[in-house]
Amino acid sequence: MSIDTISPVKWEGDKLLVLNQLKLPTVVEYNPKKTVEEVFYAIKNMELRGAPLIGISAAYGVVLGVKNLSADADDQFVEVVDESAAYLAQSRPTAVNLFWALERMKRKAREIAHLPFAEKVHLMEEEAIAIHREDEQNNRKIGENFHEAGFVYDGARILTHCNAGVLATSKYGTATSPMYLAHEKGWKIKVYADETRPYMQGARLTTFELHQAGIDVTLICDDMAGMVMSQGKVDMIITGADRIAANGDTANKIGTMSLAVMAHHFGIPFYIAAPLSTIDLKTPSGKEIPIEERSPKEVVEWFGIRTAPEGIGVFNPAFDVTPHELITAIVTEKGVVQAPFEENIRKLFNN
Ligand code: MRU
């Protein structure tokens, strides 16, 4: 598998094929999802994950909801779309791409409500496919914008966290897009991938896809990042985002904020790569971003083996918020945003 062949989801007209990320990197297995409920559980149980991919898959989930409706229930079309969207919205709370995609599907349903049933179903399917394809184009553009700004160059040594790669999107990834584009140009870059406890997206997914693509990738435990930076081995940090507030505060995988604090200490640029669908203008600052807390099991067990005593307290927030003051730039498909973030983010949407 490589960037050209990895597809974390494949739409087959009557089902969504989902690459089971719980089994990577050892087993490559696609599971069919034929109902809204099956898509909901694939998102909730993290068979698929990553902000843009969650949004794309939820859009296909809404399509499955209307495809499984009979034509004589045409008068319930908009209601079924709304119900499916409300249900899918309960799957995970932090990544705003989920709510963005569901809102877009709901808007589409209203726009086409007057059309014959079969045509409506077809247009909803086209909308989900458009969300999927646009994500691919946007990610490529994000990578190009990194290169155009001169942030990533031949010889760059980049540290990344979690998986903001192909496996979290449609193609290219967000944080990995400048890496894949550098590789396309024949540049020699070096990537340090944090393991990303407790879910190990860095170890299981980021190293998997970068290695498959032939990019020089070195795995480190999360607590080694400061040491690697102190040794002058890192030129920049690039991560993705799950939700960017209107003032630029950015929620991403737990551990991202500590990296930003360390990067500030060592004078290393800290970049966020994300599409506009990850920016939530309705959330004024990081304080209002809902942070998912996941099962304590993820912290006290190592793939089924207990690694801490019974009866202890466990705190397992899946994301943290990096204050905008620690971010050098946010790179989107529409361009680069730098301080003052609030003003420049607004401009991005108005242009
Ligand atoms: O819990 P996950 O694996 O869904 O979290 C994923 C991340 O935090 C990614 O860094 C983020 O979604 C950006 S993906 C392009």
Side-chain angles (χ1 to χ4, degrees), residues 143-154 156 178 185 187 235-236 269 271 331 336:
E144 287 169 1
N145 288 341
F146 262 96
H147 286 211
E148 234 164 74
F151 294 156
V152 170
Y153 40 83
D154 196 4
K185 289 179 177 170
W187 291 355
D235 298 315
M236 70 200 71
Y271 301 116
V331 182
V336 173

Side-chain angles (χ1 to χ4, degrees), residues 32-350:
K33 309 294 168 192
K34 293 188 169 177
T35 63
V36 187
E37 289 75 17
E38 286 175 0
V39 173
F40 173 88
Y41 283 107
I43 298 171
K44 191 173 176 59
N45 300 333
M46 291 178 68
E47 207 173 315
L48 67 93
R49 28 65 52 205
L53 189 65
I54 292 171
I56 292 164
S57 306
Y60 284 125
V62 172
V63 176
L64 289 170
V66 293
K67 284 217 165 189
N68 292 335
L69 192 65
S70 63
D72 57 11
D74 185 28
D75 55 337
Q76 292 158 31
F77 192 87
V78 172
E79 202 179 312
V80 167
V81 167
D82 285 357
E83 277 170 10
S84 304
Y87 174 61
L88 288 159
Q90 301 299 315
S91 56
R92 292 191 74 190
T94 304
V96 78
N97 309 60
L98 169 67
F99 310 101
W100 171 87
L102 293 172
E103 278 309 311
R104 184 161 156 181
M105 295 303 282
K106 279 163 65 177
R107 254 197 331 271
K108 188 75 197 175
R110 280 165 176 74
E111 226 175 271
I112 60 175
H114 59 285
L115 296 173
F117 180 77
E119 204 171 323
K120 282 203 286 271
V121 173
H122 174 69
L123 289 171
M124 290 299 279
E125 182 174 5
E126 283 206 331
E127 191 69 2
I129 293 170
I131 289 174
H132 197 168
R133 293 291 152 252
E134 285 165 24
D135 184 67
E136 181 175 330
Q137 289 154 13
N138 291 342
N139 294 341
R140 182 152 183 116
K141 196 79 191 103
I142 287 170
E144 287 169 1
N145 288 341
F146 262 96
H147 286 211
E148 234 164 74
F151 294 156
V152 170
Y153 40 83
D154 196 4
R157 298 162 307 164
I158 307 165
L159 189 145
T160 190
H161 191 66
C162 193
N163 173 265
V166 177
L167 292 165
T169 63
S170 52
K171 201 173 172 181
Y172 301 107
T174 53
T176 56
S177 179
M179 305 175 195
Y180 287 118
L181 266 51
H183 191 64
E184 254 181 45
K185 289 179 177 170
W187 291 355
K188 290 231 167 317
I189 56 159
K190 181 173 181 66
V191 180
Y192 288 97
D194 277 353
E195 239 177 357
T196 318
R197 275 267 301 157
Y199 223 76
M200 311 296 280
Q201 289 94 331
R204 294 191 298 110
L205 310 175
T206 302
T207 60
F208 172 76
E209 60 166 89
L210 292 179
H211 182 63
Q212 294 281 340
I215 293 176
D216 175 359
V217 57
T218 297
L219 178 65
I220 56 170
C221 301
D222 301 334
D223 43 13
M224 296 168 191
M227 160 73 161
V228 174
M229 286 185 222
S230 77
Q231 290 184 333
K233 290 179 173 160
V234 176
D235 298 315
M236 70 200 71
I237 296 174
I238 307 179
T239 76
D242 287 271
R243 188 184 302 219
I244 300 173
N247 71 345
D249 292 351
T250 295
N252 192 50
K253 182 52 55 192
I254 191 74
T256 303
M257 184 248 287
S258 326
L259 286 178
V261 170
M262 289 190 280
H264 183 70
H265 175 79
F266 290 111
I268 296 168
F270 184 89
Y271 301 116
I272 296 289
L276 259 58
S277 54
T278 304
I279 302 178
D280 179 12
L281 295 179
K282 288 196 226 108
T283 299
S285 77
K287 280 201 291 290
E288 293 84 24
I289 299 178
I291 300 293
E292 176 181 14
E293 277 186 45
R294 296 188 59 86
S295 165
K297 270 187 151 194
E298 291 175 1
V299 179
V300 297
E301 284 184 5
W302 185 260
F303 296 93
I305 299 165
R306 186 92 195 173
T307 56
E310 300 278 354
I312 55 164
V314 176
F315 180 45
N316 186 17
F319 302 95
D320 58 26
V321 175
T322 299
H324 62 268
E325 294 88 348
L326 296 178
I327 298 170
T328 310
I330 298 172
V331 182
T332 75
E333 71 275 24
K334 276 185 83 179
V336 173
V337 188
Q338 286 181 292
F341 282 102
E342 186 143 16
E343 193 182 320
N344 289 336
I345 285 175
R346 222 175 309 117
K347 275 190 202 152
L348 201 65
F349 280 88
N350 294 335

